[in-house]
Amino acid sequence: MTILGQLLAKKAVGGQADHVEGGVQLRRTLGPWGLTALGIGAVIGGGIFVITGQAAAEHAGPAVLLSFVIAAICCSFTALCYAEFATLIPMSGSSYSYAYATLGEFAAWFIGWNMVLEYGVSASAVAVSWTGYFKSFLAHMGLHLPDVLTNSPIAFVDKHLVVTGALFNLPAVVLVLALTWLCYVGIRESSGVNNAIVLLKVTLIVIVIVAGWHYVNPDLWHPFIPPAEGPETYGWGGIMRAATLVFFAYIGFEATSTAAQEAKNPQRDLPIGTLASLAICTVLYVAMAAVLTGLISYKQLGTAEPVVTAVAAHPQLNWLRWLVEIGALLGLASVVLVMIIAQPRIFMMMGGDGMLPPVFSKLHPRYRTPHINTLITGAGIALLAAVFPLDVLGDLVSMGTLLAFVAVCAGVLILRRTRPDLPRTFRVPWATVTCTLGVLSCLMLLYWENWYNWTLMGLWTLLGFAIYFGYGYRHSRLRNPG
């Protein structure tokens, strides 16, 4: 087989097996509600509590509602494709496993490597956001932590990294390590905590939306689309740039697919969990964006805690501040939790395929979790959260996710033509149109990323290729079954 043929080698759809060390299998405990809660837990966090305000203030104004809708449309095409794949390949590898069956090994590695951005690096970014609300919560009680222990030692100013004088982000590190321990001991315990957090934070968000709606000033929505002040500042250019930012807020709805091997009935429950979580989150996002831009001028929302900023502008809503801060702390924490659940399971599949060392596919004999893998993931996330600020990581995460989404949408079309005989308990409606629009909408959002982010993405990709050709290519189980 030629080198090109080896790079394009595909796994049979029926050959997506559990390659785990020691013969231990993951525990199947998740039903449709658990999977839906997993998706909501991954999605509702940084977007609704942080990104909304920044996107409105810096790019879209009140039209940030349109930015959320545009990003949701892009995600809905992809969600349908994830749902079909989940019924065909109910494995924990998500986009990585789907790409391996349709696009070949090299593309699968590229997608899997970008999923480190989607789950691992995004968890670090959300943990950094959590610190901002944690500081506000402590200040509300008259307590304060020193800045040297709550800020990143470096910052991103005018596209340059500068030293801030801080030591590291201690609250973010403590959060990540505590949730890593929870993920270590089992999916049932992790899922139970996540379900409780999701129920509580959604309730709190609905209270904020309903209470805030009574004080909305419709005049603040005019002009709905502010006149353009630059290529990415207001106007339609600003709306599209904001869509690339708020896309970060939707990352995680497909995290349900990483728990496929822990679902009781994956063919039935995964489509329900994926589509339901996306729909619920979209409604909450648009409603919250409408309330925020109606409570206060959009130009005042560019803070680290825009929801608190909007509520504080109305003395009658001071009682809501506690709820906002508690909701933000729970919401952001649950995002980090789900990401720490998801990332080790991607690594587990890659390790089982020989793309990573065997240690990544080991399962704990008692807890039946990828325990060593979870510890490695948690340590990496904690390190990034301790050192890097949010704005260095956010756009990279979105870019990696969009590339994975392109592969999933294209993969459904490929399998429709190469394996039309496969039984599908869920089928993408009007697949040719839906998948094509999914690919085009993702590419459209990628187009609005700036050159600097593309440079960082190129460096990340080169690092991934170095690991693949240095280890994965030589140890692939597909081409070296012995």
Side-chain angles (χ1 to χ4, degrees):
M1 184 183 293
T2 65
I3 294 179
L4 179 60
Q6 294 182 39
L7 294 177
L8 297 178
K10 301 178 182 67
K11 290 184 70 173
V13 173
Q16 300 281 349
D18 286 335
H19 293 297
V20 293
E21 298 295 316
V24 182
Q25 300 297 312
L26 294 167
R27 183 180 286 126
R28 293 189 179 274
T29 62
L30 299 177
W33 160 243
L35 289 167
T36 301
L38 195 69
I40 296 173
V43 173
I44 295 182
I48 204 165
F49 293 112
V50 181
I51 303 295
T52 302
Q54 295 176 353
E58 299 173 11
H59 298 287
V64 71
L65 276 71
L66 295 180
S67 300
F68 271 114
V69 171
I70 291 170
I73 291 173
C74 172
C75 291
S76 65
F77 294 136
T78 311
L80 292 170
C81 295
Y82 266 101
E84 177 165 327
F85 259 131
T87 66
L88 287 171
I89 310 173
M91 305 299 293
S92 296
S94 186
S95 307
Y96 163 77
S97 294
Y98 307 158
Y100 215 153
T102 57
L103 302 176
E105 181 176 286
F106 185 68
W109 170 265
F110 176 69
I111 297 303
W113 182 242
N114 283 327
M115 291 181 75
V116 177
L117 292 175
E118 180 177 359
Y119 295 126
V121 178
S122 69
S124 301
V126 175
V128 172
S129 300
W130 186 87
T131 297
Y133 277 94
F134 183 65
K135 289 170 62 178
S136 175
F137 182 71
L138 292 180
H140 207 166
M141 296 188 296
L143 302 175
H144 300 277
L145 290 175
D147 289 341
V148 294
L149 293 178
T150 56
N151 290 313
S152 304
I154 58 177
F156 194 55
V157 180
D158 295 329
K159 299 183 179 179
H160 293 89
L161 290 177
V162 298
V163 177
T164 65
L167 294 178
F168 64 99
N169 191 330
L170 177 62
V173 171
V174 172
L175 172 70
V176 170
L177 295 181
L179 295 178
T180 298
W181 171 81
L182 185 62
C183 294
Y184 182 95
V185 299
I187 187 68
R188 177 179 296 166
E189 293 76 10
S190 304
S191 178
V193 170
N194 181 66
N195 290 350
I197 291 177
V198 165
L199 182 61
L200 184 56
K201 74 177 178 180
V202 169
T203 301
L204 294 177
I205 289 169
V206 170
I207 291 174
V208 171
I209 292 172
V210 173
W213 191 261
H214 294 288
Y215 297 93
V216 163
N217 179 6
D219 292 340
L220 294 174
W221 293 332
H222 301 287
F224 185 67
I225 302 177
E229 298 178 8
E232 298 180 355
T233 307
Y234 310 132
W236 277 101
I239 291 172
M240 296 307 301
R241 177 62 180 131
T244 67
L245 291 179
V246 301
F247 177 81
F248 178 83
Y250 284 102
I251 291 175
F253 72 86
E254 79 294 353
T256 54
S257 62
T258 67
Q261 290 166 253
E262 289 145 296
K264 295 175 182 176
N265 187 349
Q267 279 81 5
R268 183 199 67 184
D269 297 342
L270 284 174
I272 295 174
T274 302
L275 297 172
S277 60
L278 178 61
I280 292 169
C281 292
T282 299
V283 171
L284 292 176
Y285 277 155
V286 172
M288 180 66 89
V291 169
L292 291 184
T293 54
L295 288 176
I296 192 175
S297 170
Y298 62 86
K299 292 187 176 181
Q300 297 177 265
L301 290 173
T303 67
E305 44 186 31
V307 184
V308 170
T309 302
V311 168
H314 296 266
Q316 307 94 323
L317 295 176
N318 278 341
W319 62 275
L320 268 182
R321 179 173 174 179
W322 283 99
L323 292 179
V324 169
E325 290 170 343
I326 293 172
L329 291 174
L330 292 175
L332 295 170
S334 69
V335 172
V336 178
L337 172 64
V338 175
M339 297 306 178
I340 297 176
I341 291 174
Q343 184 62 70
R345 284 150 180 80
I346 303 296
F347 283 152
M348 181 188 73
M349 295 301 295
M350 297 175 77
D353 288 333
M355 299 291 201
L356 293 173
V359 68
F360 283 91
S361 59
K362 288 183 179 294
L363 293 182
H364 194 285
R366 175 185 172 190
Y367 300 128
R368 289 197 272 177
T369 59
H371 57 304
I372 299 176
N373 196 348
T374 298
L375 294 177
I376 293 171
T377 299
I381 292 172
L383 178 62
L384 289 175
V387 175
F388 290 98
L390 175 63
D391 50 6
V392 172
L393 305 173
D395 277 327
L396 263 183
V397 172
S398 294
M399 293 181 74
T401 305
L402 284 166
L403 289 170
F405 284 4
V406 168
V408 171
C409 292
V412 167
L413 279 182
I414 292 172
L415 269 190
R416 284 288 186 96
R417 283 157 177 74
T418 59
R419 294 297 305 276
D421 57 305
L422 290 172
R424 293 166 168 85
T425 57
F426 178 88
R427 297 177 65 90
V428 174
W430 306 293
T432 301
V433 174
T434 301
C435 296
T436 301
L437 289 175
V439 171
L440 292 177
S441 60
C442 290
L443 293 177
M444 177 187 67
L445 292 181
L446 283 169
Y447 171 80
W448 286 94
E449 295 285 357
N450 59 46
W451 68 268
Y452 185 77
N453 292 328
W454 279 107
T455 301
L456 291 177
M457 188 67 193
L459 294 174
W460 174 261
T461 301
L462 289 176
L463 175 61
F465 287 167
I467 296 174
Y468 171 70
F469 287 108
Y471 184 89
Y473 180 78
R474 294 184 292 111
H475 293 84
S476 167
R477 286 180 182 265
L478 182 64
R479 290 179 291 98
N480 303 287

